Amino acid sequence: MGDVSARLPHRGAPDAPRQATSSPARPRWPGARHYAALDLGTNNCRLLIARPQGDGFAVVDAFSRIVRLGEGLAATGRLSDVAMDRTVAALRICAEKLKRREVTLARSVATEACRRASNGAAFVRRVFDETGIHLDIITAEEEARLAVLGCHALLEPGDGPALVFDIGGGSTELVLLDATGPVPRVLDWHSAPWGVVSLTESLGSGKSAPMTSGAYDRMRSCVAESFAPFAKRLPPADGLRRLLGTSGTVTTLASVHLGLPTYDRSQVDGLIVPAQSMLAVSRQLAGMTLAERGQVPCIGTERADLVVAGCAILESILALWPAERLGIADRGIREGILRRLMAGTR
C-alpha cells in the first residue's frame, strides 16, 4: 500500500531521532547545553533531551513508555494506585536521564488524565517528592498550541486554513490554522473529551470485532457529537484542505499502511498518505478481533485494545475535514516545549 504515499520535505526538521529540527530562535542562554521536555499523557510518558545546534537542536536522548496513567479514570474519576505506580516508575527513569545528561533547562507537563482526575494534584505532589520532577498540569488550549508549535513545519504548502489534530489518550485537540505566513496563526481550536483510553473504556467491545459488534459505529457517533460545536464554526474550504495529525494513532496506522515489520520513525514522520488509504486501514482493524489486531506488526498486544478507538476518532476527523491527504507527524508537544525553551520562553 505504501507506493501511493508521498513524503513532505522536512524543512530542517529531523528524519531520525538524532538529527536536527528547526527552532524559532537561537538559545538566549549560551551556557545551557542540554534542554529537556517531558510529556505525561493519559497513555504515554515521553521524554526528549536535546542540545542547541545551529538554528535548531539535536536530540541526545529520548524515552517513551506506555504507562496508561488514565486507566480506569472514566469509571472512578481518580487515578488508580496501580496506574500511578507504573507512571512513577517510568518517571524515575526520566529523572535519571535528566541527571545523567546534566540538563540545564527542562519543562514537564501533564495533560488530560491529571486535568480530569480528582487526585491529579496529589499525584503531581507525589511525583515531585519521589522523583524531583515538577509536572505542570496544562490546559487543553496550551496542549493544543504546543502540539501545533512542535509539528506545523510538516504542513503541506498551500493556501487557505489547515487543520492540525492530536489524538491523545484522554482527549483530542483540533486546531484550525491560518498557515499562509511563516508562523501559523491559530484561528480556532476545540478539545473533545475522547481519546483512545477514555473512548475504549466507555464504548470498547472487548475481544470481539468492533465493526461487527456495533461498537465502532457507537464510537464514531459519540466522537462526532463531541465535535459538533467545532463543526458549526468551521469555514468553507476552497481548494486543497490541508490536514496534519500528530499522535500514536496516526503514526501507528501509517506504519500499518506502509506494511512496516517494525516501527521506523524515518519512514513515518513527514509522510503524506491518501485519506482513503487511512480509512481503509481503520476499517480493516475495526473488523478484526482483539487477538487478530495483536498479531499486526507495529500494533501488538500493547496497543491492540486501544487502536480501534483511535481509528474511530480519525474517521470522525476526516468526516469533519474531508481532506484528500493526511500528513503524519511523529512530533508534537515535546518539540513544542523545546522550541519555547530555546527561544527563551515557557
Side-chain angles (χ1 to χ4, degrees):
M1 291 186 285
D3 59 336
V4 294
S5 299
R7 289 199 58 78
L8 186 68
H10 285 271
R11 305 175 194 171
D15 275 322
R18 295 186 183 274
Q19 294 181 339
T21 187
S22 59
S23 180
R26 292 179 184 274
R28 296 181 182 176
W29 301 280
R33 298 303 304 161
H34 285 166
Y35 299 79
L38 189 152
D39 171 22
L40 178 61
T42 302
N43 196 45
N44 289 278
C45 174
R46 298 186 179 97
L47 171 70
L48 208 56
I49 301 175
R51 67 173 184 271
Q53 180 173 291
D55 290 327
F57 60 81
V59 175
V60 298
D61 207 346
F63 174 80
S64 179
R65 176 175 293 180
I66 295 176
V67 294
R68 301 203 178 198
L69 176 60
E71 187 174 54
L73 176 61
T76 66
R78 295 176 55 83
L79 304 175
S80 73
D81 290 339
V82 173
M84 289 190 290
D85 290 344
R86 280 196 305 262
T87 305
V88 169
L91 289 170
R92 286 197 182 101
I93 297 173
C94 294
E96 291 170 3
K97 287 180 175 289
L98 292 171
K99 182 178 180 181
R100 185 167 66 249
R101 296 291 183 178
E102 298 181 339
V103 170
T104 307
L105 290 169
R107 189 181 186 201
S108 304
V109 302
T111 56
E112 184 68 11
C114 288
R115 283 197 296 264
R116 188 182 300 183
S118 61
N119 58 341
F123 173 67
V124 167
R125 290 193 295 271
R126 175 187 168 185
V127 167
F128 181 75
D129 290 342
E130 296 188 23
T131 71
I133 293 174
H134 174 71
L135 291 169
D136 292 331
I137 302 178
I138 59 175
T139 65
E141 181 177 7
E142 184 173 6
E143 181 180 356
R145 290 180 182 274
L146 284 172
V148 167
L149 182 61
C151 74
H152 72 79
L154 296 182
L155 273 170
E156 283 191 87
D159 299 321
L163 188 68
V164 176
F165 65 89
D166 181 2
I167 301 173
S171 65
T172 294
E173 275 63 53
L174 306 168
V175 186
L176 187 69
L177 297 177
D178 174 358
T180 55
V183 179
R185 181 170 62 90
V186 175
L187 299 173
D188 199 353
W189 71 280
H190 180 74
S191 181
W194 298 115
V196 296
V197 175
S198 55
L199 192 59
T200 299
E201 291 190 351
S202 298
L203 297 172
S205 61
K207 296 181 179 181
S208 61
M211 187 70 77
T212 57
S213 69
Y216 190 67
D217 287 340
R218 290 193 295 273
M219 286 181 177
R220 283 195 58 204
S221 177
C222 187
V223 174
E225 183 178 350
S226 71
F227 287 170
F230 185 63
K232 293 177 181 178
R233 302 196 303 268
L234 286 175
D238 297 325
L240 175 70
R241 288 179 183 261
R242 291 179 289 166
L243 183 64
L244 178 65
T246 167
S247 71
T249 291
V250 293
T251 56
T252 297
L253 295 185
S255 300
V256 176
H257 162 72
L258 293 174
L260 299 180
T262 57
Y263 184 72
D264 183 350
R265 183 182 188 273
S266 67
Q267 294 195 54
V268 172
D269 186 49
L271 188 72
I272 300 176
V273 185
Q276 289 302 316
S277 296
M278 293 293 272
L279 285 175
V281 170
S282 297
R283 298 287 179 88
Q284 176 188 1
L285 294 174
M288 294 179 178
T289 65
L290 180 65
E292 289 169 339
R293 292 194 301 275
Q295 297 301 311
V296 177
C298 298
I299 294 179
T301 56
E302 206 170 32
R303 295 180 175 87
D305 60 333
L306 301 179
V307 68
V308 170
C311 293
I313 296 170
L314 176 60
E315 189 162 347
S316 299
I317 292 170
L318 288 170
L320 177 77
W321 191 257
E324 293 183 7
R325 296 185 295 275
L326 170 62
I328 311 294
D330 185 356
R331 63 183 78 179
I333 291 175
R334 294 175 303 166
E335 288 80 1
I337 291 172
L338 286 173
R339 285 176 176 237
R340 282 190 177 177
L341 289 177
M342 291 184 180
T345 61
R346 287 176 62 84

